[in-house]
Amino acid sequence: MRLSGPLFVLIGALCFSFSGTIQSFAPEAATPFTVTEARMVIGTLGLAAFCWTAKKFPNSWSSFNFKFLVLVALCLYGFQLLFFSSLPKTGVAVGTIAAIGSTPIWTAIIEKIVYGKNPSKIWYFSTVTAIVGIVLLNLENFNSTVHWIYLLLPLLAGLCYAGEIVVAPKAMEGVSSESAMVVVMGLVALINAPMLMFFPISWITTAQGLSCAVALGLVTASLAFAFFFTGVRHTKASVASTLGLAEPMGAACWGIFLLHEPYSAWTLLGIGLILVSILVLSLKSE
């Protein structure tokens, strides 16, 4: 595994981590469905423009493996739908821990069942360390009264995220990572489009709304998906899913430094543990 693989995964995860910060500036009328649509459409156009100028598109549409591309798109959309639907019931803290924290475990299970691969010993240490870090990041907002049945939604979201990471290398075979993600994001936009009949997207016509949508599309979609899945292509899925835990760490950092959100010693310890996990896994993985 080349070092560039984990590095690209980390850069992609950090791009994803700006989502909450940017979305906090969006107009109140913005909903998860309309934000998803704006993000996917602008992200698709932005990455498509790059692929066109850099000649990343294949010569024929037949080069795309649409069976796996559709599967990645369904996993991507399923994650967003399940995760955001769970938050009113579980709260952000519990939902994040269950969804993001379970992803590396789901990934290892899928890899074992489908490919017969076992994670390395260092993966277990790094994954446990990162999950403890995520718990500490959300410790002050943790609500222990959440009924176990509501945890199924974020856990299933984690399964979708894991499926997305495991299937992505197959979806990108024979084409560039960037062009494959253009197709995936375009498919997600098509799948989500009917929701616009129920949730108005007029907020995007304001200067504030448009600037947020463009930032979400270019930073947390175009750049994030391009870097993350280019890295996934050259990184074991179980390792990539653990490195992806840099996303909640980054989100916590941006909240502290950019939004001046309050923090505690537990928050800093959580960030430190995730950083240790990332460094160990990046430097010691085969």
Side-chain angles (χ1 to χ4, degrees), residues 9 11 83 115 123 127 164 176 181 183 258 272 276:
V9 170
I11 294 173
F83 179 67
Y115 301 113
W123 175 87
T127 299
E164 185 183 336
S176 68
M181 292 316 299
V183 174
L258 300 180
V276 169

Side-chain angles (χ1 to χ4, degrees), residues 15-157:
C15 288
F16 283 133
S17 70
F18 279 102
S19 299
T21 301
I22 296 173
Q23 195 168 337
S24 68
F25 293 102
E28 291 185 5
T31 66
F33 292 105
T34 55
V35 167
T36 294
E37 189 67 18
R39 179 176 171 239
M40 289 297 106
V41 169
I42 294 173
T44 299
L45 295 175
L47 194 52
F50 166 77
C51 289
W52 184 267
T53 56
K55 298 181 179 179
K56 292 281 187 177
F57 282 122
N59 294 326
S60 171
W61 282 97
S62 61
S63 300
F64 287 108
N65 195 333
F66 282 101
K67 178 175 68 175
F68 289 107
L69 287 169
V70 169
L71 187 54
V72 173
L74 290 173
C75 287
L76 173 58
Y77 188 62
F79 170 80
Q80 297 191 85
L81 188 62
L82 290 164
F83 179 67
F84 287 112
S85 297
S86 73
L87 296 186
K89 296 293 185 181
T90 65
V92 174
V94 176
T96 300
I97 293 168
I100 306 299
S102 68
T103 298
I105 299 171
W106 283 122
T107 305
I109 292 172
I110 295 172
E111 278 203 308
K112 177 62 177 177
I113 293 173
V114 177
Y115 301 113
K117 295 181 180 179
N118 293 312
S120 63
K121 291 181 180 179
I122 202 68
W123 175 87
Y124 290 100
F125 168 80
S126 297
T127 299
V128 170
T129 301
I131 291 174
V132 172
I134 291 175
V135 172
L136 293 179
L137 282 180
N138 295 278
L139 190 63
E140 294 185 349
N141 299 317
F142 189 80
N143 179 5
S144 59
T145 62
V146 177
H147 194 281
W148 68 269
I149 194 69
Y150 295 130
L151 290 177
L152 290 178
L153 290 176
L155 286 174
L156 288 174

Side-chain angles (χ1 to χ4, degrees), residues 96 118 122 124 222 227 229 245 269:
T96 300
N118 293 312
I122 202 68
Y124 290 100
S222 294
F227 277 115
F229 284 100
L245 299 182
L269 180 58

Side-chain angles (χ1 to χ4, degrees), residues 145-231:
T145 62
V146 177
H147 194 281
W148 68 269
I149 194 69
Y150 295 130
L151 290 177
L152 290 178
L153 290 176
L155 286 174
L156 288 174
L159 177 59
C160 287
Y161 196 4
E164 185 183 336
I165 292 172
V166 173
V167 174
K170 285 283 186 183
M172 294 183 288
E173 286 182 354
V175 296
S176 68
S177 306
E178 297 87 351
S179 64
M181 292 316 299
V182 168
V183 174
V184 168
M185 288 191 291
L187 288 171
V188 173
L190 287 175
I191 294 170
N192 185 68
M195 301 307 298
L196 300 184
M197 294 188 294
F198 307 99
F199 300 97
I201 201 168
S202 56
W203 58 268
I204 202 174
T205 59
T206 65
Q208 181 183 4
L210 181 60
S211 60
C212 287
V214 170
L216 283 168
L218 297 183
V219 177
T220 74
S222 294
L223 287 175
F225 284 115
F227 277 115
F228 190 85
F229 284 100
T230 296

